[in-house]
Amino acid sequence: MDNFKERQFLGFNKYSNLLRLVIITFCFGAYYILDYGDEAINMMFLFLGAFLVVLSGVLTFVLHFETTVENGSVVLDGLWTSRKVKINLNGINEVYQVQYNPIYLKNPVFNLHRKGRILFYNRGVDALVLIDSEGLEYVIGTQKVADFEKSVNQEIEKLKLGKL
């Protein structure tokens, strides 16, 4: 496995899906149960609920970020990001797997700096931690943590052997 590539989409994030589902349920419930006497208000709830259903479907195709391991670096790039993040594997001292957070409901993040860590996450509970020579930690959420770790370790070995 020379290169690793994974794409994570916004529509698969459990927290966002649950939030939209609650709002959709409220909108359809308000349309069917509540009677304001004004048909325009009832129709507004119906259209808002239908719009959110369509939006949830569309978000399954919207790329949040793409993780690629190639040429001695990990590249994180996505549709919503303002810049591409490239992590050079020359300065990485340690690579290990962690459980990102046992709670399944989390907001998706990209390049979030918090307490000496840089977080990249969309969905799932597994992540790979890369620690550089300065002690900075990169926590990258992934659905394929074993393949990702294997690919990163192979790239680090190639760099040490001078093959890149």
Side-chain angles (χ1 to χ4, degrees), residues 10-11 35 50 55 59 77 104 112 129 146 152 161:
L10 282 175
D35 185 21
L55 178 67
L59 282 177
D77 190 20
Y104 228 49
L112 176 68
V129 177
V152 167
L161 295 174

Side-chain angles (χ1 to χ4, degrees), residues 72-95:
S73 61
V74 176
V75 179
L76 299 151
D77 190 20
L79 179 66
W80 297 107
T81 60
S82 59
R83 63 186 140 149
K84 186 184 294 189
V85 175
K86 188 173 184 180
I87 303 168
N88 189 357
L89 295 176
N90 270 332
I92 299 298
N93 292 337
E94 191 175 351
V95 177

Side-chain angles (χ1 to χ4, degrees), residues 55-68:
L55 178 67
S56 293
V58 168
L59 282 177
T60 60
F61 300 104
V62 175
L63 180 67
H64 183 225
F65 68 88
E66 179 177 45
T67 307
T68 309

Side-chain angles (χ1 to χ4, degrees), residues 1-6 67-69 142 144 147-148 151:
M1 173 186 280
D2 290 356
N3 292 338
F4 173 84
K5 190 174 204 175
E6 179 185 25
T67 307
T68 309
V69 178
T142 179
K144 308 171 191 173
D147 293 339
F148 187 28
S151 183

